[in-house]
Amino acid sequence: MVRSYVKNDVYMLEIENNFIQAETVDRRKCQEHGYGLLNIQKVSQKYCGDMLIERVDGVYKLSVMLVQ
């Protein structure tokens, strides 16, 4: 599921994806798999925001906040 919205001059992008295997999210491992999450984090911080990765009940959720 992909969702985006604006609230109080903050642009939010949320992406959810189901997973089967029990894995842990380790940002250091992202370096082994390309630039995807590292680039998302750099861009979000460039626009005074950040990103958050959560894993709850079989769902990975990536939340990205950008300040307008």
Side-chain angles (χ1 to χ4, degrees), residues 41-51 64-67:
Q41 185 176 35
K42 286 179 185 177
V43 170
S44 65
Q45 290 173 347
K46 177 181 176 181
Y47 293 97
C48 301
D50 206 354
M51 75 170 202
V64 180
M65 177 185 75
L66 305 172
V67 179

Side-chain angles (χ1 to χ4, degrees), residues 16-29:
E16 294 181 4
N17 192 22
N18 296 333
F19 70 93
I20 296 171
Q21 293 179 328
E23 298 179 12
T24 56
V25 176
D26 184 350
R27 289 184 185 190
R28 292 170 299 192
K29 284 194 164 195

